[in-house]
């Protein structure tokens, strides 16, 4: 994995003190992206302020869970890749707790320590405000948070990208890989690097699954078509708005709980209707679970 030194001209987020103008009701027009505005509104509702910053340190953290075991070899390789650069990479679990960290420059170590970007601390949005890991967990998709888009003053010197890590068998979101840099060093490679690292962790999760589980997923993929077709379906799901994704996920969970073959139609906010198909998975001949596939019609082309 290589790290681009080219500057990513993303503007480093909105101008300074814009969060304060938001809190005073003086925010005008389209000054911030919609996902950022929604995050700030959640932070305000949670009683957070830009000046308060009290990350929570968890004492009973499992640093040898399946996610960490899957990610450790990936992060060992990343340690070599980021050495001497202004890049940091984090692994956080689905509750927002940092589990692993690799950091390039020594000075960046100190800067991250000051904002408690350290294994064991929580980076949930409800606790430290808008941040790449917290937003990724809530939005369930790739999230970029640039400079002043952070709600807390303490985090505005950084830009970071969060990428979901999903278990390849269950589809459940297990955690987040986050790539962060000082905001003036943000570059376009960050998003691609986060995605590659997350996919490498997911591959390791698959490899650590039992042989029986691997056989089941291979059989399911074979029955549904090529891996490319499945990947295209997942990409289409990621393009849906958060409300639609959550509606589909909730419906899929209910279908799995019913434990039988079923079909459900879910209306989407853009006027389309998605179809969920639940099918038993057997090994061989013995029912062992339910697999749910989402079928999405093509989005209507703009006139």
């Amino acid at each position: 994995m290589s790290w681009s030194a080219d500057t990513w001209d993303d503007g480093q987020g909105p101008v300074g003190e814009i969060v304060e103008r938001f809190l005073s009701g003086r925010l005008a027009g389209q000054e911030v992206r919609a996902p950022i505005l929604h995050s700030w509104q959640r932070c305000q509702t949670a009683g957070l302020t830009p000046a308060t910053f009290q990350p929570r340190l968890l004492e009973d953290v499992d640093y040898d869970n399946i996610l960490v075991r899957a990610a450790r070899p990936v992060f060992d390789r990343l340690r070599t890749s980021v050495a001497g650069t202004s890049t940091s990479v984090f692994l956080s679990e689905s509750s927002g707790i940092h589990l692993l960290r690799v950091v390039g420059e020594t000075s960046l170590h100190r800067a991250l320590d000051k904002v408690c970007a350290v294994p064991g601390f929580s980076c949930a949005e409800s606790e430290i405000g808008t941040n790449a890991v917290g937003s990724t967990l809530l939005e369930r998709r790739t999230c970029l948070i640039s400079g002043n888009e952070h709600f807390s003053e303490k985090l505005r010197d950084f830009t970071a990208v969060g990428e979901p890590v999903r278990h390849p068998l269950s589809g459940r979101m297990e955690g987040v890989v986050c790539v962060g840099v000082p905001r003036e060093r943000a570059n376009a490679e960050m998003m691609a690097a986060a995605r590659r690292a997350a996919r490498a962790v997911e591959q390791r999760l698959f490899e650590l699954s039992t042989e029986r589980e691997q056989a089941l997923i291979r059989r399911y993929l074979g029955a549904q078509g090529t891996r490319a077709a499945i990947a295209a379906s997942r990409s289409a799901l990621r393009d849906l708005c958060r409300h639609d994704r959550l509606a589909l996920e909730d419906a899929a969970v209910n279908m799995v709980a019913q434990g039988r073959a079923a079909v459900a139609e879910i209306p989407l906010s853009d006027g389309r209707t998605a179809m969920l198909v639940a099918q038993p998975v057997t090994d061989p001949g013995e029912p062992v679970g339910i697999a749910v596939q989402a079928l999405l019609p093509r989005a209507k082309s703009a006139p």
Side-chain angles (χ1 to χ4, degrees):
M1 181 180 298
S2 61
W3 300 88
S4 171
D6 297 334
T7 300
W8 184 13
D9 185 15
D10 65 351
Q12 300 174 15
V15 297
E17 300 182 357
I18 193 168
V19 175
E20 288 75 7
R21 289 201 285 114
F22 156 75
L23 291 172
S24 64
R26 294 183 291 115
L27 194 63
Q30 303 297 318
E31 295 184 77
V32 296
R33 297 183 288 135
I36 301 302
L37 180 60
H38 296 159
S39 175
W40 290 358
Q41 291 169 341
R42 291 192 297 265
C43 293
Q44 185 179 35
T45 300
L48 301 179
T49 72
T52 57
F53 188 75
Q54 297 178 323
R56 184 167 55 102
L57 176 63
L58 282 297
E59 297 181 356
D60 189 22
V61 178
D62 182 4
Y63 293 105
D64 193 38
N65 61 31
I66 185 67
L67 179 61
V68 173
R69 293 201 301 274
R72 192 170 284 122
V74 178
F75 273 62
D76 286 344
R77 294 193 295 271
L78 288 170
R79 197 178 309 280
T80 301
S81 301
V82 306
T85 74
S86 56
T87 303
S88 58
V89 189
F90 295 87
L91 175 74
S92 303
E93 65 179 21
S94 58
S95 64
I97 301 170
H98 288 313
L99 298 175
L100 294 175
R101 179 181 85 165
V102 295
V103 183
E105 299 171 346
T106 302
S107 59
L108 187 57
H109 270 277
R110 294 192 293 268
L112 292 171
D113 289 349
K114 287 181 180 179
V115 295
C116 299
V118 178
F121 279 92
S122 172
C123 53
E125 182 187 87
S126 59
E127 297 180 13
I128 68 170
T130 308
N131 68 92
V133 172
S135 291
T136 299
L137 290 172
L138 288 170
E139 296 285 340
R140 296 173 181 262
R141 61 182 176 88
T142 308
C143 287
L144 163 72
I145 308 296
S146 298
N148 293 313
E149 289 180 335
H150 290 93
F151 191 79
S152 171
E153 297 169 351
K154 294 278 191 181
L155 298 177
R156 295 178 192 172
D157 289 335
F158 300 95
T159 288
V161 174
E163 177 72 18
V165 175
R166 294 182 173 87
H167 198 288
L169 301 185
S170 67
R172 182 177 62 246
M173 190 167 171
E174 299 288 346
V176 174
V177 168
C178 177
V179 174
V181 298
R183 68 179 188 176
E184 68 275 7
R185 302 295 294 275
N187 61 81
E189 173 68 7
M190 292 172 60
M191 192 167 291
R195 186 172 294 115
R196 288 195 297 267
R199 298 298 84 77
V201 174
E202 290 174 349
Q203 178 60 34
R204 284 277 302 155
L205 282 170
F206 179 72
E207 292 168 358
L208 291 176
S209 303
T210 66
E211 291 184 4
R212 184 185 189 193
E213 289 172 327
Q214 292 185 34
L216 288 172
I217 194 64
R218 288 194 184 100
R219 188 177 308 157
Y220 178 67
L221 289 172
Q224 300 302 324
T226 65
R227 286 180 178 270
I230 298 298
S233 175
R234 288 175 178 169
S235 176
L237 287 173
R238 286 196 294 269
D239 290 339
L240 295 176
C241 69
R242 181 170 181 267
H243 177 270
D244 287 345
R245 290 197 307 275
L246 291 177
L248 289 176
E249 290 176 8
D250 288 344
V253 169
N254 290 333
M255 295 174 81
V256 171
Q258 292 173 8
R260 57 181 174 82
V263 175
E265 292 185 340
I266 309 297
L268 303 178
S269 57
D270 62 4
R272 292 181 293 165
T273 299
M275 180 177 292
L276 294 181
V277 180
Q279 297 176 317
V281 179
T282 60
D283 178 37
E286 176 189 355
V288 295
I290 298 292
V292 179
Q293 183 182 19
L295 304 176
L296 298 177
R298 290 181 180 273
K300 296 180 180 179
S301 301

